[in-house]
Amino acid sequence: MAEPSTHADPSRSDPVLDALAAAVGPIETSTFRGQTRVVIDAERSMESLRLLKEQGFDLLVDVSCVDYLEYKGAKHRYGLVYLLASTATNRRLTVRLFVDDPDPTVQSVVPLWGAANWLEREVWDLFGIRFTGHPDLRRLVMPEAFTAHPLRKDYPLQGRGERHNFPVLTRDDG
Amino acid sequence: MAVITGGNTGKLELPENVFVSKLDELANWCRKNSLWPMPFATACCGIELMATGASKHDLARFGAEVFRFSPRQCDLMIVAGRVVMKMLPVLQRIWLQMHEPKWCISMGACASTGGVFDTYAVVQGIDRFIPVDMYVPGCPPRPEQLIQAIIDLQDKIQREGTITGREFDTAERQRRKRALVEASELLTIDASRNPVIQRELTQIAGRN
Ligand code: SF4
């Protein structure tokens, strides 16, 4: 696995990342099997992602999340992953940022890519990351009455009894 | 028309093609041979359910080939596949919409116990929430197994059915029949601190 490097190394010059570094300050980049990854600051995520969109990343492929609870060497609890692609140059870029408890919050990117709407709803549903500015932040897959965020590592696999919280129908009811 | 003639003997003489039976048994005989299944197929077991209805296994031989997609027309619900939290209210509503007399077959490991999907969203056995008459083990059960379940259900209908449905009357009866208990508690308890398990262990040790 490649070592993370600060994007100041002139031998790795990349116009897109240079522009990003120029706009928001030093960023951490790394490559793995030809794929470029960049870690941005959660506070300035909107600014950074808007810039990347202007640099040609017109397609948001996925928004996902990782819970780093008790992960070796992890400094933050949640890692958000944005997979960007450019339909013009066929280039791909993985953008990551970190947020923490107690109220993990990040700016919604729905204004930039409409595709983010359901993707962010899914992340909210399963991980409880709040996306500020999202037009309709409801649960996507779990029932509306569900209260937990089940993909968090501290949520028990078998749930907290939600799955058995239903009325029992007997023959008398039918 | 058959004419029943009583002789001086006081015995009833019947023509060859007339049988005497009970009304209950007649009703059961009709019901069991015209089961109309409601295919509640939510997962892979549903594929076997389709195979059961298709030409090779030909459920029509047992009078149960008329799969209906309206619960109003069905009297046998076949739950084939896992049922998740979001689906359970739908299942219950469809069950309530079916007319009496009605029966339910829980097909496969998932419908009966949750199967391998012991997770927060999957209901661990539909019999926790609706009455079930037959369980079919397997993952998935072969069509022959489902057919056997239907034959057994026909047997059951013939044996215990009544024209007024008296056999369905008690909720108590269903509770006793529930095959499943909450297993997760059993699996997670610490045996060294559980007095019941300890007592049993000492009893076993004493016997040896
Ligand atoms: S019992 Fe097996 S075949 Fe049937 S629904 Fe479950 S996983 Fe699929």
Side-chain angles (χ1 to χ4, degrees):
Chain A
M1 202 163 139
E3 282 294 302
S5 65
T6 308
H7 187 72
D9 181 0
S11 66
R12 294 160 147 265
S13 182
D14 175 323
V16 174
L17 297 183
D18 284 344
L20 186 61
V24 298
I27 47 171
E28 193 185 306
T29 65
S30 57
T31 52
F32 181 64
R33 297 202 173 149
Q35 295 216 2
T36 311
R37 304 178 297 197
V38 43
V39 179
I40 60 173
D41 185 6
E43 299 288 308
R44 307 183 70 179
S45 68
M46 198 56 180
E47 197 183 334
S48 310
L49 287 162
R50 175 170 287 127
L51 188 131
L52 287 171
K53 189 184 177 191
E54 281 158 9
Q55 293 288 326
F57 289 101
D58 52 349
L59 178 68
L60 178 70
V61 179
D62 200 3
V63 177
S64 179
C65 183
V66 184
D67 184 353
Y68 287 107
L69 183 71
E70 289 169 31
Y71 190 83
K72 224 166 113 195
K75 294 192 203 76
H76 302 276
R77 170 96 196 249
Y78 306 102
L80 274 162
V81 186
Y82 297 81
L83 302 182
L84 306 184
S86 158
T87 53
T89 63
N90 216 9
R91 206 182 147 188
R92 279 166 190 271
L93 183 68
T94 305
V95 181
R96 311 178 64 202
L97 57 86
F98 296 99
V99 284
D100 276 296
D101 278 335
D103 185 22
T105 309
V106 73
Q107 278 269 304
S108 167
V109 294
V110 175
L112 298 181
W113 296 280
N117 193 324
W118 279 29
L119 299 173
E120 289 183 347
R121 277 177 62 187
E122 187 182 9
V123 171
W124 155 249
D125 188 358
L126 300 175
F127 288 93
I129 312 286
R130 197 178 294 281
F131 291 89
T132 51
H134 191 287
D136 179 29
L137 197 62
R138 282 179 296 133
R139 286 182 177 274
L140 183 68
V141 283
M142 298 307 293
E144 300 234 321
F146 209 79
T147 48
H149 300 289
L151 286 199
R152 286 188 177 184
K153 292 274 189 256
D154 52 4
Y155 181 81
L157 174 65
Q158 296 172 336
R160 300 206 175 99
E162 296 94 335
R163 63 185 180 180
H164 294 148
N165 198 11
F166 294 98
V168 178
L169 294 187
T170 65
R171 284 285 187 187
D172 290 353
D173 298 312
Chain B
M1 219 183 141
V3 182
I4 302 173
T5 50
N8 297 337
T9 53
K11 262 190 186 167
L12 213 58
E13 278 175 34
L14 296 176
E16 256 184 279
N17 56 350
V18 174
F19 294 90
V20 175
S21 178
K22 284 186 278 182
L23 192 54
D24 280 350
E25 296 211 351
L26 179 68
N28 294 339
W29 181 72
C30 298
R31 284 171 183 171
K32 78 166 187 181
N33 287 310
S34 62
L35 289 171
W36 286 26
M38 159 86 227
F40 198 91
T42 50
C44 12
C45 271
I47 306 294
E48 294 300 293
L49 177 60
M50 291 176 226
T52 314
S55 50
K56 185 161 180 183
H57 295 283
D58 194 11
L59 205 51
R61 294 177 294 160
F62 308 96
E65 83 284 14
V66 198
F67 284 85
R68 285 294 134 145
F69 296 92
S70 161
R72 302 286 186 209
Q73 298 176 327
C74 301
D75 50 12
L76 168 62
M77 175 178 260
I78 302 181
V79 183
R82 50 202 163 266
V83 176
V84 295
M85 277 179 71
K86 260 182 161 173
M87 198 48 139
L88 191 81
V90 180
L91 176 74
Q92 288 191 323
R93 169 169 286 218
I94 289 179
W95 172 255
L96 289 177
Q97 283 174 340
M98 287 167 60
H99 289 302
E100 294 280 6
K102 59 191 174 188
W103 298 273
C104 176
I105 291 181
S106 163
M107 178 183 179
C110 287
S112 308
T113 68
V116 295
F117 303 98
D118 190 4
T119 71
Y120 54 91
V122 181
V123 172
Q124 302 295 294
I126 54 161
D127 62 348
R128 290 166 184 277
F129 303 110
I130 66 167
V132 171
D133 293 281
M134 285 284 158
Y135 301 85
V136 191
C139 177
R142 282 195 54 91
E144 291 90 329
Q145 281 172 274
L146 182 61
I147 291 173
Q148 186 64 52
I150 289 174
I151 294 173
D152 288 348
L153 183 66
Q154 289 180 334
D155 241 26
K156 176 178 165 169
I157 295 169
Q158 184 70 65
R159 266 186 294 109
E160 13 182 284
T162 53
I163 193 161
T164 50
R166 277 196 309 282
E167 75 274 21
F168 295 135
D169 269 354
T170 62
E172 217 27 62
R173 208 178 106 129
Q174 178 202 342
R175 280 203 196 97
R176 262 188 284 120
K177 267 177 143 181
R178 260 180 60 171
L180 303 170
V181 289
E182 186 74 61
S184 61
E185 286 148 33
L186 295 177
L187 297 176
T188 53
I189 44 178
D190 179 358
S192 67
R193 281 197 280 157
N194 186 297
V196 180
I197 293 181
Q198 285 309 314
R199 199 165 56 234
E200 284 192 354
L201 287 176
T202 25
Q203 276 173 6
I204 291 167
R207 253 180 264 139
N208 293 339

